[in-house]
Amino acid sequence: MRSALTTIVLCFFACLALAKTAEVTVVNLRCEYLSDPIAVEDQHPLLSWQLTSIYTGKSQKAYQVLVASSPVLLAQNKGDYWNSGKVNSSNSTQVIYGGKPLSSRKQVYWKVMVWDEKNIVSGWSKTASWRMGLLQPADWQAKWIGEMRDPQPDSAITYPAPFFRKAFTVKKKIKRATAYVSGLGFYELYINGKKIGDQVLAPAVTNYDNRPLKKLLYPYDDQSRQRVLYNAFDVTNYLIRNDNAIGILLGNGWYNQRDRTVEGLMWYDVPKVILQLEIRYEDGTFGTILSDNSWKTTTGPLLKDGIFTGEKYDARAELGAWNGPGFNDYKWRKAILVKAPNGTLHPQMAPFDKITRILKPEFKGRISDSVYQYHLKETVSGWAALHVKGKAGSKITMRYISEEGEDYGQFDSYVLKGNGTESWEPKFTWHAFMNLEVTSPDVVLDASNITIKEVRTAVVLNGSFECSNTFLNKINTAYVRTQNANMHGSISSDCPHRERLGYTGDGQVAMESALLSYHMPQFYRKWLDDMDDARNHNTGFVPHAAPFGGGGGGPAWGSAYVIMPSLYFSYYSDTLVLKRHYAGMKQWVNYLQTRINENGLITKEEPDGWCLGDWCTPEQIQLPEPLVNTAYFFHVTSLMADIAGVLGNESDKAQFAGMAQKIKADFNKAYYNTATKTYWQGRQGADVFALAFGLVPNDKYDAVFNSLLAHLKQINYHFDTGILATPLLLKVLSQNNRDDIAYQIMNQKDTPGFGYLLNNKNSTLWEEWNGGGSHSHPMFGSVVAWFYSAIGGIKPDPGSAGMKHFFIAPKPVGDLNYCKSAYTSLYGKIRSEWVREKNGGLQIVIEVPANTSATFILPEGMKNLVSGPGKKNHAKKVNKLYIAEFGSGIHRFKID
């Protein structure tokens, strides 16, 4: 009764408030960062929304959330699952559902209204919804099935892809049908001949199961945890009355990856699948179609599939309408029940891999009797789609060639069935390439026979950067291309062809660039879970790649498990991620404490393990690995003190702070040179690590920074750093207001630098400054964060996580005449644009999302900020710089 009365009273006051004109609108409702998800696992999911307004200075003073079991109740303003009441809070991105317990499959509907800073109510948002997934193991009645048990588990041999089907009858009118499916390694699901969903290479890769792990190149004591992702689809509109059929095709994927064994033998098992189709009828009854040994299975035209080596397909062996009703499967065998993976089933909240672009390559012609060449202007990750006509038995082979001229064993082959125009493309692999070489002895090819499909994890670009220096724009474009090619299964790989591993060191250095360029909340949530799964839960050791697939590194790699959640919090203000991983992050720091020698330095991690130091310096690495290792030990220990403070754990905060002071003392004792005022020899990033991480005592800071400047001058303002110190160098220079030097370094056209991008044959970022190794490595794309934070000036406020408040501090350095930069935060679009005037002043446009605020920091030497003729100066001096405060809206002004 009290709840109903409260609702009536709130609605009464809301109606009174609506008598005033609402100045904000509530839009973009998200549950767990997703729009209307249908398989949510957390029973207290995160809810968020955005505000829009044509007015400036708009913010949220309070909100009310209603969650109801039906749209009808919600339309009546009845929140039978949760009525938050009026909550006096500006929080609009991290609101935790606080209503009734949510059971498996439960769908709820919700809406929001807010009160602005004038206490004027907005009116209700449009309705959104979310549905819970299968929350308990007992919810799964289906069984894991397969086509065979592995006859040679220790052999690298793989077998033709298995097909599965199940015919069934629907006799009643359907209200809703939901399919829950996981096929390992990859699957394609069909109902009545139609593919379900636009995803490819699903589900996303995880540490699925226990495995033998033989002949490992690097030491790894497997004390990991296992997890398998399932996908959920609303398939109501795919089912028909009477006869229906489900078809599933399985690929090896990472689950049965036997192509590449240089890191060790790390496959799990032959493919298997589980599917549960749940049907809710209009009359209130339920039905299920479950994978079990009543299903039928066979093999067919997909003779081989491997993510590294490609696919072999013989169209002469096609099965006809195998995935539709009425198909005669009497020759098919019964599927067998197989051992379930050890990994528990969880819904995939991370974004799918999808076909994101379709490209037409340049046809370069025939280079021999049977070999044809096709060319793209950029490296992509994906595959070629064939459209050909020829006689049965004719074979076409496609060789995928990278920018560096290597094929890395990437081939697809197709044998024609000889029945009119045939179209084919791979399903369970991807290739990274710029050139395609097609061998076709019998079929004459031309430009019409090949299209290219780009495939990647389909995260949305939500950042943009452009300036008057076209060279910097090329670097930014090359980074985006490189990052696109390296996102599969919601991990960021080191390279998309040779290794394809989720190296954590590479991932942590490029993370801020990725956060500014893409919308990444669920991408990184998933990858952090992969790190948690892969780590040693007894000792705390974090391996160098996650999911674990081998890989060398050092403490800077495992430290990603602290650095990345910290960065995630900075941009998304998600304390739940910090809480979820806090125990593991703490255990990593404690693990590092067990690795120190008598001088307090870390010389190695696991016995016989590799410590690479700062990988890929321009010349041979001479920087001592213990210097890098110990610097990262200090860095993550300091971060843990901050994280403990955010979570209110004061005892841990004090303990980590004390540990950090001890590490700092040991580091300075070992590496600070009082004569030269440098660390070690002051090169290859030695001073950079100390300055960036706060290892330099205050009374020595200026001297060390000046030593760094002298060193940079000596090497003519080039990089001499590897993947770790390169972004830190730019950060240190920017923090000391020497973006002019950072710009000079970034603008170098010779080696070491990014000058190779001036040659159009190079479209992506190199692994090594001199062109060695892969030509598609995103790690040096870490410099892109400097474009946004320095030239554009968009910076998070360390005291206001999630960009609730942020800084805009553009640096019009060098010969730059303009910059346009933008980043879409969880609140909305942040924009910073400037144009240099002839008198040296700047015309500025900034955009501040509703419910946020910004501090604009004028460049050094400027102190006047006016928005028009006769307007007063809005800047005030703080320390040595002038600043101005802005609320939401689009603001145009001049500064000089």
Side-chain angles (χ1 to χ4, degrees), residues 269-307:
D269 200 355
V270 293
K272 59 186 65 172
V273 65
I274 188 169
L275 177 134
Q276 188 156 307
L277 174 60
E278 299 185 348
I279 305 173
R280 186 178 187 179
Y281 297 104
E282 288 284 1
D283 63 7
T285 60
F286 294 86
T288 56
I289 305 297
L290 309 174
S291 54
D292 57 23
N293 57 2
S294 70
W295 286 48
K296 304 293 284 292
T297 185
T298 191
T299 56
L302 186 47
L303 305 179
K304 179 188 180 302
D305 65 278
I307 55 175

Side-chain angles (χ1 to χ4, degrees), residues 517-727:
S517 301
Y518 303 89
H519 183 65
M520 302 289 270
Q522 285 291 0
F523 181 101
Y524 280 120
R525 271 192 168 195
K526 184 265 181 185
W527 199 13
L528 292 172
D529 284 345
D530 293 331
M531 295 178 201
D532 186 22
D533 286 345
R535 69 187 183 88
N536 188 314
H537 290 80
N538 294 329
T539 67
F541 172 70
V542 179
H544 307 134
F548 178 73
W557 278 251
S559 290
Y561 191 48
V562 174
I563 295 167
M564 292 175 71
S566 177
L567 262 175
Y568 189 98
F569 176 72
S570 178
Y571 278 85
Y572 299 138
S573 188
D574 191 338
T575 56
L576 295 183
V577 163
L578 297 182
K579 291 175 181 177
R580 179 179 180 89
H581 296 286
Y582 184 78
M585 294 155 66
K586 180 178 177 179
Q587 195 180 23
W588 165 250
V589 173
N590 290 334
Y591 166 82
L592 290 178
Q593 182 69 39
T594 69
R595 302 293 95 187
I596 61 175
N597 63 13
E598 65 278 6
N599 297 316
L601 308 177
I602 297 178
T603 58
K604 62 180 180 180
E605 295 176 316
E606 299 294 270
D608 301 320
W610 295 12
C611 280
L612 301 180
D614 194 6
W615 189 237
C616 290
T617 52
E619 297 178 352
Q620 182 179 358
I621 302 171
Q622 296 178 330
L623 182 69
E625 290 90 347
L627 184 151
V628 179
N629 300 341
T630 311
Y632 269 93
F633 182 25
F634 174 81
H635 182 46
V636 295
T637 305
S638 300
L639 287 177
M640 284 304 295
D642 295 337
I643 292 167
V646 168
L647 299 181
N649 193 330
E650 294 302 320
S651 61
D652 275 5
K653 179 179 179 180
Q655 181 181 356
F656 286 125
M659 287 176 60
Q661 288 306 308
K662 176 65 166 60
I663 301 167
K664 183 174 182 177
D666 291 337
F667 182 88
N668 277 274
K669 183 178 179 180
Y671 294 114
Y672 183 66
N673 187 324
T674 57
T676 61
K677 297 179 175 55
T678 62
Y679 287 81
W680 181 58
Q681 298 174 9
R683 56 191 182 90
Q684 291 196 338
D687 290 336
V688 170
F689 288 111
L691 291 163
F693 291 159
L695 281 156
V696 183
N698 291 338
D699 62 337
K700 296 181 174 64
Y701 188 93
D702 289 344
V704 174
F705 182 68
N706 288 333
S707 295
L708 172 64
L709 297 183
H711 169 66
L712 292 173
K713 182 178 180 180
Q714 183 181 0
I715 60 174
N716 195 25
Y717 302 105
H718 284 77
F719 289 112
D720 70 340
T721 48
I723 69 171
L724 305 174
T726 290

Side-chain angles (χ1 to χ4, degrees), residues 214-230:
K214 299 178 179 179
K215 300 181 180 179
L216 294 184
L217 183 62
Y218 307 96
Y220 179 62
D221 177 17
D222 187 7
Q223 300 295 328
S224 62
R225 292 176 181 164
Q226 293 75 45
R227 186 167 42 102
V228 174
L229 300 180
Y230 71 86

Side-chain angles (χ1 to χ4, degrees), residues 827-877:
Y827 294 94
K829 186 176 182 179
I830 297 170
R831 181 161 51 124
S832 171
E833 300 180 0
W834 57 264
V835 177
R836 195 188 299 273
E837 296 181 312
K838 290 182 179 180
N839 64 0
L842 300 177
Q843 294 183 20
I844 304 289
V845 179
I846 66 169
E847 186 170 352
V848 181
N851 204 29
T852 71
S853 61
T855 298
F856 185 86
I857 304 175
L858 281 68
E860 187 176 27
M862 294 185 173
K863 61 181 180 180
N864 297 309
L865 185 155
V866 293
S867 55
K871 300 291 184 179
K872 67 177 183 180
N873 182 12
H874 294 284
K876 62 180 181 180
K877 190 174 184 179

Side-chain angles (χ1 to χ4, degrees), residues 22 103 116 189 220 267 314 391 410 414 425 430 438 475 486-487 587 606 613 616 622 677 755 760 772 790 803 824:
S103 57
D116 68 10
L189 170 65
Y220 179 62
W267 53 83
D314 189 339
K391 62 182 180 181
Q410 302 175 108
Y414 178 79
E425 63 191 73
W430 75 86
V438 183
I475 297 172
N486 277 281
M487 290 190 288
Q587 195 180 23
E606 299 294 270
C616 290
Q622 296 178 330
K677 297 179 175 55
N760 288 333
M803 308 295 265
T824 303

